[in-house]
Amino acid sequence: MINGIIDGIAAAIHEEFGDHYEIYAENVEQGLTEPCFLITCVGPKSGRFLGERYLREHLFLIQYFPESAEKPRRECMETQERLYEALEFITADGRLRNGTGMEGEIEDGVLRFQVRYDFFTVKKEETGDLMETFIHETEVRT
């Protein structure tokens, strides 16, 4: 599920920004190609709601490393505006997901953008055959 959302975020970012931007879903020790995005799920939660329904909460951090050395803050602010539109709705695991709680901050020349994708899921238990055939014969006496 989480990887499906990461794939959906990556697809939405690629659609908005194109091939010029690298998109990473794993930490890169060395050799980031800027401009680029790094997508990380930072706070997945799951809690039982009603019956067999579970609320799945997913907080994602998308870091943007700008290309410009001269005006990185300006580039980050422009990117943040575009992310609001691009990540409002994504397709993940064949379903449309709504991004909420979007906010960003620029720290050390890097945009740190957060978005939540929360939804309900139903846990289906495999029960097999619950009933067997029962034949009972009775004799009626008069």
Side-chain angles (χ1 to χ4, degrees):
M1 183 65 61
I2 293 173
N3 288 329
I5 298 171
I6 289 173
D7 292 344
I9 291 170
I13 289 172
H14 182 265
E15 186 176 319
E16 174 67 26
F17 292 90
D19 292 331
H20 181 67
Y21 296 77
E22 290 292 325
I23 301 171
Y24 300 99
E26 300 287 338
N27 286 334
V28 178
E29 297 294 325
Q30 296 179 0
L32 278 174
T33 304
E34 298 166 342
C36 66
F37 295 91
L38 174 61
I39 305 167
T40 310
C41 184
V42 293
K45 295 179 187 177
S46 178
R48 192 171 190 157
F49 201 68
L50 294 173
E52 297 301 315
R53 290 178 46 174
Y54 290 80
L55 176 60
R56 299 286 169 91
E57 300 175 86
H58 304 91
L59 176 63
F60 288 89
L61 173 64
I62 298 147
Q63 296 177 50
Y64 174 70
F65 299 87
E67 182 174 35
S68 174
E70 298 165 7
K71 296 183 180 180
R73 189 166 189 78
R74 181 177 186 84
E75 185 178 335
C76 286
M77 287 187 285
E78 290 171 358
T79 300
Q80 181 172 338
E81 288 296 323
R82 292 173 70 183
L83 285 173
Y84 285 135
E85 294 296 320
L87 300 179
E88 182 177 9
F89 294 100
I90 64 166
T91 302
D93 295 325
R95 298 187 134 181
L96 194 62
R97 304 287 184 197
N98 177 240
T100 61
M102 291 186 233
E103 60 182 70
E105 66 180 357
I106 300 167
E107 191 175 289
D108 297 327
V110 174
L111 171 63
R112 296 173 47 87
F113 186 87
Q114 293 183 3
V115 60
R116 301 188 66 79
Y117 293 98
D118 300 339
F119 51 87
F120 287 97
T121 185
V122 177
K123 184 177 182 179
K124 295 181 181 177
E125 295 182 23
E126 291 191 27
T127 57
D129 291 335
L130 293 178
M131 298 184 69
E132 296 179 12
T133 304
F134 179 72
I135 299 174
H136 180 72
E137 294 182 14
T138 60
E139 185 177 308
V140 179
R141 293 185 184 172
T142 55

